[in-house]
Amino acid sequence: MSVEEQVLKLLTESKRPVFLTGAGLSVPSGIPDYRSLGGVYHDLELPEYLLSRSCFEQEQEKFYTFVKKLYHPEAKPNESHLKIAKLTKEKESAKVVTQNIDHLHEEADTKNLINFHGSLYHCYCTKCNKTCLVDDYLVSNYHEDCGGIIRPDIVLYEESLPNNRIEAAIKAVSEADLILIVGTSFKVYPFSQLIEYRQSNSPIVVINKEEIETSDNHLFIKGDAQNFFSKV
Ligand SMILES: [Zn+2]
């Protein structure tokens, strides 16, 4: 049996799979990894700065200009998002934990989804705390009602993740009978630590363009995840 056939069998038999997904999943939908978007002329222009709490507080216009580049409202879920969504409907206990902030898992109507780093498509006013429409934010970063600054509900560099979200993700992994790491090089902390909470007999599958660094036993399918999910 090929590795792909083994994984298809594991997935069919699994009752509680968890999908841990990243930027590679959305690249075929036309969403570039934001790390490729920063300016190259000055150290301060690195995405790690442009998406930081410091930049948000001290250079709001620079932050806003960069964040707007991350929006791709025209992007549609691809085969990977759609098949994962289908599996979350067929298997009640299937869960998805994503690093992506691009809304495509939601667009695909995924059940049991944890947006680990938040979502660009949930915006709120930092002064009055009201939820704001994304369309309004893309026109102006100032809240019309109160003049406060609007921001997307994403976790910025220098900010920590909400504890309840980390706990929910740990619970999803600890209850899973199959772990699928899809479209991510799995290097970002604390996301990459999640597999430490798995049950020791739950197999790990990696579907990605490149191998990930882990000492854990796993099955590896190299390539675009869409190739695999087209067979699911
Ligand atoms: Zn406001």
Side-chain angles (χ1 to χ4, degrees):
M1 218 189 311
S2 70
V3 175
E4 197 173 73
E5 285 164 344
Q6 283 179 59
V7 174
L8 284 167
K9 185 167 181 286
L10 282 171
L11 193 52
T12 305
E13 289 167 358
S14 167
K15 290 189 175 70
R16 299 179 306 279
V18 66
F19 298 90
L20 305 177
T21 70
L25 201 73
S26 296
V27 170
S29 292
I31 297 181
D33 190 334
Y34 67 77
R35 285 180 189 81
S36 64
L37 287 175
V40 292
Y41 306 107
H42 196 285
D43 281 347
L44 285 180
E45 306 286 333
L46 289 170
E48 284 76 5
Y49 173 70
L50 294 165
L51 281 177
S52 69
R53 180 80 186 194
S54 306
C55 184
F56 175 76
E57 285 176 349
Q58 292 155 26
E59 298 192 85
Q60 176 56 219
E61 286 312 311
K62 193 179 267 188
F63 173 85
Y64 180 51
T65 302
F66 183 71
V67 165
K68 276 199 287 186
K69 290 186 202 170
L70 305 184
Y71 285 85
H72 300 273
E74 72 295 341
K76 293 277 169 271
N78 62 55
E79 191 74 16
S80 304
H81 300 101
L82 296 171
K83 285 291 172 62
I84 290 172
K86 182 168 167 270
L87 287 162
T88 63
K89 288 171 197 163
E90 290 168 0
K91 298 175 191 279
E92 264 179 40
S93 302
K95 291 187 175 157
V96 180
V97 185
T98 188
Q99 300 174 88
N100 298 345
I101 54 177
D102 58 30
H103 200 65
L104 291 181
H105 280 302
E106 274 143 322
E107 284 261 304
D109 198 21
T110 308
K111 308 295 175 199
N112 297 326
L113 171 66
I114 298 167
N115 285 317
F116 201 63
H117 293 156
S119 170
L120 285 170
Y121 293 81
H122 305 156
C123 293
Y124 66 95
C125 171
T126 53
K127 191 175 173 192
C128 72
N129 243 343
K130 276 188 194 150
T131 300
C132 301
L133 295 174
V134 173
D135 288 348
D136 291 345
Y137 178 57
L138 291 176
V139 173
S140 168
N141 52 338
Y142 291 98
H143 191 204
E144 212 175 9
D145 293 7
C146 78
I149 292 169
I150 301 173
R151 65 169 280 182
D153 192 4
I154 56 174
V155 180
L156 302 178
Y157 288 94
E158 301 161 14
E159 290 181 336
S160 40
L161 279 90
N163 275 332
N164 58 354
R165 201 182 292 160
I166 297 177
E167 282 159 17
I170 289 175
K171 187 168 185 283
V173 172
S174 66
E175 290 174 352
D177 60 6
L178 177 64
I179 321 281
L180 298 106
I181 298 167
V182 191
T184 170
S185 50
F186 217 55
K187 281 178 185 156
V188 177
Y189 176 88
F191 189 81
S192 57
Q193 306 300 304
L194 289 173
I195 49 169
E196 289 176 12
Y197 296 91
R198 80 188 188 285
Q199 292 172 33
S200 55
N201 58 349
S202 298
I204 301 174
V205 172
V206 175
I207 307 171
N208 195 34
K209 288 204 163 160
E210 55 188 27
E211 255 292 19
I212 64 163
E213 284 171 34
T214 175
S215 53
D216 295 308
N217 267 333
H218 62 278
L219 294 163
F220 175 54
I221 297 177
K222 188 179 169 72
D224 183 339
Q226 286 194 114
N227 294 335
F228 173 78
F229 284 105
S230 66
K231 291 158 195 156
V232 171

